[in-house]
Amino acid sequence: MALIQKLASFSSLSSSHSRGIPNSSNPQRICSLSCNSSSSPFTEKHSVKRYERDQWVYEYSLEKTSSCPVPSDSRSIREDDIALQLPELKKMLQVLRDKRESEGKCSGGKCAAGNVFLVGTGPGDPELLTLKAVRVIKSADLLLYDRLVSNDILDLVDPHARLLYVGKTAGYHSRTQEEIHELLLSFAEAGATVVRLKGGDPLVFGRGGEEMDFLQQQGIQVKVVPGITAASGIAAELGIPLTHRGVAISVRFLTGHSRKGGTDPLFVAENAADPDSTLVVYMGLSTFPSLAVKLMNHGLSPHTPAAAIERGTTPQQRTVFAELKDLAEEIASAQLASPTLIIIGKVVALSPFWPISAREESCLVEA
């Protein structure tokens, strides 16, 4: 299926679109494409909550479909999911255009573009949202949200707004980055207030810079609402100062996940092996064993305090403390899952949760 071409057609369809959103009235059964339940505080790829939130975008297809065959592979699931959404997305764009024209906000066949906000939602705890983020979220017409926007934060969305999941997980991208760009552009051109919700801060490993650059090149104004990045929020939760006089004079953020076909993210290990700095690794579960070895080979002490935090700042938070040489094994033993943040450095021992024991055993802390 030429899905990207279908998404690209949104731009021509929305050349003079407007603001105003239809309400769904009668909830219908959701054809969930391998739907599953989960206790995760975040939106997992085929969770029940995701399809309940996004139900509006499947309404046309549900009316036309009596059965829901589940495709056998992730690519087919993704393609079928997008195909089911297309009719309602196009209908919404048409409504936006008609509303804009009826308000007299179009001239010469062109309408004034709407606003796009890139909003950081922090690491998960809704109380870490900024006041500005809450205000913008409540004013949105359409919100495109990622996997790591917590369920509690999504509950703040105005009931008349529309939510659309565009999250990515390893092995399954509900939308490619290019498709996300096109959706943002199409609805902004339609005059909608579009909010792009991202976990943490949108400009720290959130690809917000790419989205901002794309939209600005198309003449769309973009406003950024910063969020508390995971490093700051989670470290604070555990009482770990990322910098501390006499202990750590700098902090370094590192992604443990390389771009497909890109440079190995672990090449920085030589420069990152600094005993006077704090190293924070995002998206590093799969590559951490290799990174730990490289850091030690480049001179970082095997006894350096370290911590791995799963689902930080949420009620499901779990934390493993260990020395650098043991952390990979302890992560595997605790079966930590994504999202997990890793903090390495002497400052970790300043946490009140650091195990105070002559044996310095690893410690699993349940929230």
Side-chain angles (χ1 to χ4, degrees), residues 193-214:
T193 297
V194 185
V195 171
R196 179 75 171 94
L197 289 180
K198 295 174 174 289
D201 184 274
L203 302 183
V204 179
F205 299 131
R207 304 190 73 171
E210 296 174 43
E211 293 169 5
M212 183 167 56
D213 181 58
F214 171 80

Side-chain angles (χ1 to χ4, degrees), residues 171-239:
Y172 181 82
H173 290 187
S174 64
R175 301 280 180 170
T176 66
Q177 192 60 43
E178 291 73 21
E179 289 167 351
I180 293 172
H181 289 172
E182 195 60 48
L183 284 166
L184 290 169
L185 175 63
S186 299
F187 284 95
E189 288 180 338
T193 297
V194 185
V195 171
R196 179 75 171 94
L197 289 180
K198 295 174 174 289
D201 184 274
L203 302 183
V204 179
F205 299 131
R207 304 190 73 171
E210 296 174 43
E211 293 169 5
M212 183 167 56
D213 181 58
F214 171 80
L215 291 168
Q216 289 175 341
Q217 288 186 29
Q218 308 303 317
I220 303 297
Q221 183 180 8
V222 180
K223 299 178 182 178
V224 179
V225 180
I228 294 178
T229 189
S232 296
I234 293 172
E237 183 80 7
L238 295 175

Side-chain angles (χ1 to χ4, degrees), residues 196-321:
R196 179 75 171 94
L197 289 180
K198 295 174 174 289
D201 184 274
L203 302 183
V204 179
F205 299 131
R207 304 190 73 171
E210 296 174 43
E211 293 169 5
M212 183 167 56
D213 181 58
F214 171 80
L215 291 168
Q216 289 175 341
Q217 288 186 29
Q218 308 303 317
I220 303 297
Q221 183 180 8
V222 180
K223 299 178 182 178
V224 179
V225 180
I228 294 178
T229 189
S232 296
I234 293 172
E237 183 80 7
L238 295 175
I240 298 173
L242 293 177
T243 61
H244 191 85
R245 189 168 63 169
V247 180
I249 61 173
S250 65
V251 59
R252 183 169 191 167
F253 297 170
L254 171 68
T255 172
H257 186 272
S258 65
R259 180 180 178 182
K260 185 177 181 181
T263 305
D264 182 347
L266 306 183
F267 81 98
V268 299
E270 181 176 1
N271 295 328
D274 181 357
D276 296 320
S277 293
T278 304
L279 181 63
V280 183
V281 186
Y282 291 68
M283 302 171 286
L285 267 184
S286 62
T287 55
F288 179 70
S290 177
L291 174 63
V293 170
K294 290 186 178 184
L295 289 170
M296 290 184 286
N297 287 344
H298 287 297
L300 196 60
S301 170
H303 302 291
T304 301
I309 309 95
E310 174 191 279
R311 299 172 175 176
T313 78
T314 74
Q316 292 83 5
Q317 175 177 309
R318 296 195 301 153
T319 305
V320 169
F321 286 96

Side-chain angles (χ1 to χ4, degrees), residues 1 33 37 45 47 54 60 116 134 148 151 180 189 197 201 250 259 268 277 286 298 361 363:
M1 299 173 66
L33 297 176
S37 61
K45 58 186 177 182
S47 69
D54 296 6
Y60 176 85
V116 175
V134 173
L148 298 184
N151 295 320
I180 293 172
E189 288 180 338
L197 289 180
D201 184 274
S250 65
R259 180 180 178 182
V268 299
S277 293
S286 62
H298 287 297
E361 295 178 343
C363 174

Side-chain angles (χ1 to χ4, degrees), residues 142-194:
L142 175 70
L143 301 98
L144 276 60
Y145 66 102
D146 281 344
R147 175 198 169 211
L148 298 184
V149 178
S150 72
N151 295 320
D152 288 340
I153 289 170
L154 291 172
D155 288 341
L156 299 174
V157 173
D158 186 278
H160 297 293
R162 292 289 183 256
L163 282 156
L164 183 64
Y165 179 72
V166 293
K168 304 183 182 77
T169 58
Y172 181 82
H173 290 187
S174 64
R175 301 280 180 170
T176 66
Q177 192 60 43
E178 291 73 21
E179 289 167 351
I180 293 172
H181 289 172
E182 195 60 48
L183 284 166
L184 290 169
L185 175 63
S186 299
F187 284 95
E189 288 180 338
T193 297
V194 185

Side-chain angles (χ1 to χ4, degrees), residues 2-246:
L3 295 173
I4 294 179
Q5 291 180 2
K6 287 186 178 181
L7 286 169
S9 70
F10 284 160
S11 289
S12 59
L13 186 132
S14 67
S15 59
S16 58
H17 299 348
S18 109
R19 183 172 180 174
I21 299 177
N23 290 320
S24 62
S25 53
N26 299 318
Q28 303 180 47
R29 177 184 62 85
I30 295 175
C31 183
S32 62
L33 297 176
S34 187
C35 181
N36 58 55
S37 61
S38 172
S39 60
S40 171
F42 304 111
T43 303
E44 302 305 336
K45 58 186 177 182
H46 301 309
S47 69
V48 171
K49 284 189 176 181
R50 174 204 161 180
Y51 287 100
E52 289 175 345
R53 287 195 193 100
D54 296 6
Q55 179 173 304
W56 69 274
V57 83
Y58 298 100
E59 286 185 355
Y60 176 85
S61 298
L62 286 172
E63 291 172 357
K64 301 296 182 182
T65 306
S66 59
S67 62
C68 181
V70 178
S72 59
D73 61 275
S74 293
R75 181 177 178 181
S76 295
I77 289 174
R78 193 190 88 87
E79 292 185 353
D80 286 359
D81 202 21
I82 293 176
L84 288 171
Q85 295 174 3
L86 282 171
E88 286 297 327
L89 289 172
K90 290 181 177 180
K91 183 195 296 184
M92 182 177 174
L93 282 170
Q94 185 65 47
V95 170
L96 289 167
R97 181 186 64 185
D98 294 345
K99 182 70 161 43
R100 200 71 163 179
E101 291 176 345
S102 69
E103 293 173 344
K105 296 181 179 179
C106 301
S107 177
K110 293 185 178 180
C111 299
N115 295 314
V116 175
F117 295 87
L118 304 183
V119 178
T121 63
D125 182 353
E127 293 187 346
L128 295 179
L129 277 175
T130 65
L131 293 174
K132 187 172 185 178
V134 173
R135 176 176 61 79
V136 170
I137 287 171
K138 289 182 177 294
S139 70
D141 295 323
L142 175 70
L143 301 98
L144 276 60
Y145 66 102
D146 281 344
R147 175 198 169 211
L148 298 184
V149 178
S150 72
N151 295 320
D152 288 340
I153 289 170
L154 291 172
D155 288 341
L156 299 174
V157 173
D158 186 278
H160 297 293
R162 292 289 183 256
L163 282 156
L164 183 64
Y165 179 72
V166 293
K168 304 183 182 77
T169 58
Y172 181 82
H173 290 187
S174 64
R175 301 280 180 170
T176 66
Q177 192 60 43
E178 291 73 21
E179 289 167 351
I180 293 172
H181 289 172
E182 195 60 48
L183 284 166
L184 290 169
L185 175 63
S186 299
F187 284 95
E189 288 180 338
T193 297
V194 185
V195 171
R196 179 75 171 94
L197 289 180
K198 295 174 174 289
D201 184 274
L203 302 183
V204 179
F205 299 131
R207 304 190 73 171
E210 296 174 43
E211 293 169 5
M212 183 167 56
D213 181 58
F214 171 80
L215 291 168
Q216 289 175 341
Q217 288 186 29
Q218 308 303 317
I220 303 297
Q221 183 180 8
V222 180
K223 299 178 182 178
V224 179
V225 180
I228 294 178
T229 189
S232 296
I234 293 172
E237 183 80 7
L238 295 175
I240 298 173
L242 293 177
T243 61
H244 191 85
R245 189 168 63 169

